[in-house]
């Protein structure tokens, strides 16, 4: 076969972040950039010889071109079989499912998630291992090491594969199967949720709006919500994936999904609203007149999961990332099950899910999921919410009011300072680190600091350690602020300030969030000296 061995040399900065390698699209398109990283992935896993992979992406600009390159490199490296989504499309959770279902050795997922797409926007590539989850740190460290010593890569000199037509093709000695991206994922959802009950819900006049944000979830949401469950046509909006996400920012939060938010806060709001991100792993949940924070959504889903057939036996444990609010811990306590606090990044849930220690996981960054795959799953969260609403016959706002009365409310907000010069962001974090031991006992804006530390994690399954995972400052009244640098940005540094304060069930549970957090916000700004960034307000508040 016509394998070409191309000489290359290391390219600076190919360090996988929170979720794979993310860079400007034009950087990915530079000579050898993609090829070096793909070869480094194959080398880091001990070669691709005889191995099978799933490949697909979120449909952003350069998706199909990059997939053709990956296929030719997989063939040249001796892979035996690659399963690809038709037109190169696979949502991240659907790719995770295909890896698990077909027992492949891993998968390459092309996405920069919620970051904008287009030739002048962002691109990304992540590797998932055979459990279907993101590569853990010991694997990404090997990838990085390979990128720094690479001297050559292998690629086949072959024609492009027809990704538009379902079927099985031969690429040199490798089998390429082009599959429908939705079919197997939908079958999995049908096992987990009561589709008859959901059909009856929509037949009874329940209305929802799902904003696919011109991204990959469109075909999945249309097939499941409209075709299978009978929701009226038009339930799914922005449902056709486009290369630049309709020039939008496919990040499902109140800022970027503003049109949906406005509709849900209006007189004519449907019963339920939801949105998903570029690659379909994040979600936003909103009821008529009420936005549900991702931290609260995790808690509500954990408390009610047993109402869906897939979780009728109950759940083993709940895991959340450290900056996520404590709301889900309260549910776990009451259910008498384990709760886990992990560093940011879905990869840290993998071991807990594999070991059966946690069933449901979630993050403040709009990710929720369960042990059905090894990624967060936007549409799964939407379907579980629908299943809960159908069984409880309650509105979202009533479910939330009931939940807060039982558990109390964790007011929660994240303030993002984006594209800061890296040295300024590092200074802020460095100074916070230096203050940690002096902070306990200090009073800031009437709040007394009780504990201040930098989060480290000891994985209870494999004993691996992760350090430097964000600075936590806890106050005596239960409020907390966390400072952390984003691992997914592609420009400068993004500093995230996560704010939380607790109100017990007998207090006013419908205060304005920013107002309820005003004291802890003031204390956080004072302690961190964020004013030195020259910014007088965060860029994004969610
Ligand atoms: C990725 C990870 C998430 C993580 C998020 C954090 O999300 O998959 O598990 O919570 O990054 O982002 P940051 O480091 O910017 O705070 P995604 O949806 O971008 O893949």
């Amino acid at each position: 076969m016509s394998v070409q061995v191309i000489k290359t040399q290391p390219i600076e900065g190919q360090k996988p972040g929170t979720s794979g390698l993310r860079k400007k699209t034009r950087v990915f398109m530079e000579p050898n950039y993609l090829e070096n990283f793909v070869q480094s992935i194959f080398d880091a896993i001990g070669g691709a010889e005889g191995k099978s992979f799933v490949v697909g992406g979120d449909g952003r600009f350069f998706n199909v071109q990059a997939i053709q390159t990956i296929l030719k490199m997989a063939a040249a490296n001796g892979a035996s079989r690659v399963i690809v989504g038709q037109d190169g499309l696979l949502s991240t959770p659907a790719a995770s499912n295909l890896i698990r279902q077909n027992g492949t050795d891993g998968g390459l997922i092309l996405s920069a998630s919620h970051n904008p797409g287009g030739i002048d926007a962002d691109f990304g590539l992540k590797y998932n291992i055979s459990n279907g989850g993101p590569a853990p740190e010991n694997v990404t460290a090997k990838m990085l090491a390979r990128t720094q010593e690479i001297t050559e890569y292998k690629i086949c000199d072959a024609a492009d594969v027809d990704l538009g037509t379902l079927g099985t093709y031969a690429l040199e000695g490798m089998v390429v199967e082009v599959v429908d991206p939705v079919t197997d994922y939908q079958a999995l959802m049908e096992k987990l949720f009561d589709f008859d009950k959901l059909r009856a819900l929509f037949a009874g006049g329940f209305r929802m709006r799902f904003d696919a944000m011109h991204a990959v979830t469109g075909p999945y949401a249309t097939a499941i919500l409209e075709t299978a469950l009978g929701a009226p046509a038009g339930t799914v909006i922005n449902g056709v994936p486009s290369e630049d996400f309709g020039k939008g920012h496919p990040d499902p939060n109140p800022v970027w999904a503003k049109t949906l938010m406005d509709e849900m806060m209006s007189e004519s709001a449907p019963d339920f609203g939801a949105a998903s991100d570029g690659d379909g792993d994040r979600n936003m949940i909103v009821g008529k007149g009420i936005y549900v924070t991702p931290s609260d959504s995790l808690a509500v889903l954990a408390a009610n999961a047993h109402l869906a057939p897939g979780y009728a036996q109950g759940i083993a444990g709940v895991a959340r990332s450290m900056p996520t609010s404590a709301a889900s811990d309260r549910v776990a306590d009451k259910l008498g099950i384990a709760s886990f606090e992990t560093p940011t990044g879905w990869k840290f849930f993998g071991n807990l899910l594999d070991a059966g220690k946690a069933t449901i996981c979630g993050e403040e960054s709009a990710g929720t999921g369960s042990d059905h795959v090894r990624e967060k799953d936007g549409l799964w969260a939407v379907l579980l919410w629908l299943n809960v609403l159908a069984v409880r016959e309650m509105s979202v706002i009533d479910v939330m009011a009931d939940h807060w009365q039982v558990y109390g409310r964790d007011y929660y907000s994240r303030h993002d300072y984006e594209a800061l010069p890296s040295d300024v962001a590092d200074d802020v974090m460095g100074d916070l680190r230096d203050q940690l031991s002096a902070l306990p006992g200090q009073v800031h804006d009437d709040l007394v600091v009780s504990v201040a530390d930098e989060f480290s994690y000891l994985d209870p399954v494999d004993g691996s350690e992760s350090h430097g995972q964000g600075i936590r400052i806890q106050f005596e009244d239960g409020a907390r602020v966390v400072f952390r640098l984003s691992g997914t940005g592609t420009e400068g540094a993004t500093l995230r300030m996560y704010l939380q304060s607790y109100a017990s069930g007998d207090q006013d549970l419908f205060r304005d969030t920013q107002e309820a957090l005003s004291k802890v916000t003031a204390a956080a700004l004072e302690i961190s000296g964020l004013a030195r960034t020259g910014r007088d307000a965060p860029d994004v508040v969610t």
Side-chain angles (χ1 to χ4, degrees), residues 231-254:
T235 294
V236 177
I237 55 169
N238 303 320
V240 178
S242 84
E243 285 197 331
D244 62 358
F245 307 119
K247 305 214 180 313
H249 198 132
D251 193 357
N253 65 41

Side-chain angles (χ1 to χ4, degrees), residues 18 22 113-114 282 346 363 365 376 484 486-488 496:
T18 318
R22 282 192 196 159
S113 186
H114 53 290
R282 297 185 174 204
W346 203 263
E363 298 186 279
S365 56
K376 52 192 186 276
R484 186 184 152 266
S486 158
T488 60
R496 304 202 193 282

Side-chain angles (χ1 to χ4, degrees), residues 18 113-114 251-253 277 281-283 291 294-295 321 323-324 344-346 362-368 376 412 414 484 488 496 498 542:
T18 318
S113 186
H114 53 290
D251 193 357
N253 65 41
D277 71 332
D281 55 1
R282 297 185 174 204
N283 74 87
Y291 164 69
S295 296
S321 66
T324 305
T344 295
W346 203 263
E363 298 186 279
E364 55 66 39
S365 56
T368 359
K376 52 192 186 276
Y412 192 85
R414 189 175 95 187
R484 186 184 152 266
T488 60
R496 304 202 193 282
Y498 310 80
T542 51

Side-chain angles (χ1 to χ4, degrees), residues 145-167:
R146 284 304 296 162
T147 66
Q148 292 166 340
E149 60 197 20
I150 190 164
T151 55
E152 59 182 40
Y153 63 83
K154 289 186 189 153
I155 189 160
C156 277
D157 181 18
D160 283 356
V161 175
D162 176 9
L163 297 178
T165 312
L166 300 179

